[in-house]
Amino acid sequence: IIIFWSSYWWIAAQKIENSITSWFYQNHSNQDLSFNTITTAGYPNRADISIKKFSYHNFDSALSISADLIQFLSLIYDKSHLISIIKPPIEIKLKKSHLKILGPAIKSSLKIGSDKKLIELISEGQNLKLEDKKNNVWTLKKFLFATEKLDKKNPEAFRSHLSINNIAIPTNY
């Protein structure tokens, strides 16, 4: 039974890793995606995928996002619930705006429906520092963002909640 489970885990983990890698290598005509390495861990019950030095750029919207490390954790036998961990620094650029996020990891829980679309997202972070291109610094003690799909009759409708605690806005902003 150990050999069977080990084989099942290895095949499932490789399938997940290969699907992520192939997504990066698809021909995205208006996007550029890159990473340094993708690794898999989590044996025997989870498939933990780590993407180091993630970078995304959309040429149409001039949106760029990069992160030092993105991890997706899931139970090997239940792919409908993912945990994601994004370790700063995270850089977000939109046209001429630039925001850098520093601090501890931002953690999220994602639930995926049978149609493979997101039905729930809960994301939280603590003790974050946000810097813009003019070196203005915001500090954020804690944030929580939650959203869930309301019903199947209106698939585009979501209920959302945002909580921000102890945000310090720069006085010169």
Side-chain angles (χ1 to χ4, degrees):
I1 202 156
I2 292 172
I3 293 172
F4 171 75
W5 183 256
S6 296
S7 299
Y8 172 76
W9 181 90
W10 187 83
I11 291 168
Q14 288 300 306
K15 191 174 182 181
I16 294 168
E17 184 176 330
N18 290 342
S19 69
I20 291 171
T21 303
S22 68
W23 177 71
F24 273 99
Y25 291 129
Q26 283 181 35
N27 183 13
H28 302 278
S29 61
N30 63 342
Q31 301 173 9
D32 180 39
L33 297 160
S34 65
F35 64 93
N36 189 2
T37 58
I38 294 179
T39 58
T40 307
Y43 178 82
N45 294 316
R46 295 192 330 247
D48 300 350
I49 306 297
S50 296
I51 305 168
K52 292 183 180 177
K53 304 293 183 197
F54 168 82
S55 177
Y56 165 82
H57 181 79
N58 183 301
F59 299 109
D60 293 338
S61 65
L63 171 67
S64 295
I65 301 171
S66 64
D68 193 49
L69 176 68
I70 298 176
Q71 293 179 303
F72 293 102
L73 318 171
S74 70
L75 293 171
I76 199 75
Y77 47 84
D78 181 9
K79 294 174 187 68
S80 66
H81 186 205
L82 297 171
I83 302 296
S84 77
I85 300 168
I86 303 175
K87 293 188 179 178
I90 302 165
E91 293 195 45
I92 303 168
K93 297 177 184 176
L94 180 59
K95 300 187 188 223
K96 294 182 180 181
S97 299
H98 181 183
L99 184 65
K100 183 185 241 182
I101 302 170
L102 302 164
I106 297 171
K107 300 171 185 165
S108 301
S109 168
L110 301 94
K111 291 189 180 171
I112 312 298
S114 57
D115 59 355
K116 299 192 180 201
K117 292 185 179 178
L118 183 68
I119 58 173
E120 180 182 287
L121 167 69
I122 301 170
S123 187
E124 68 176 341
Q126 296 181 6
N127 302 316
L128 298 172
K129 185 165 80 168
L130 293 81
E131 296 178 356
D132 68 13
K133 67 181 179 180
K134 295 180 181 177
N135 293 324
N136 291 310
V137 177
W138 292 262
T139 57
L140 184 62
K141 183 72 174 167
K142 183 176 182 180
F143 86 89
L144 172 72
F145 175 73
T147 187
E148 68 177 334
K149 189 179 277 194
L150 287 177
D151 57 40
K152 293 184 180 185
K153 292 179 185 174
N154 190 357
E156 302 303 316
F158 282 80
R159 174 181 25 234
S160 300
H161 170 81
L162 175 63
S163 174
I164 298 174
N165 295 340
N166 296 336
I167 185 169
I169 300 171
T171 55
N172 61 341
Y173 185 71

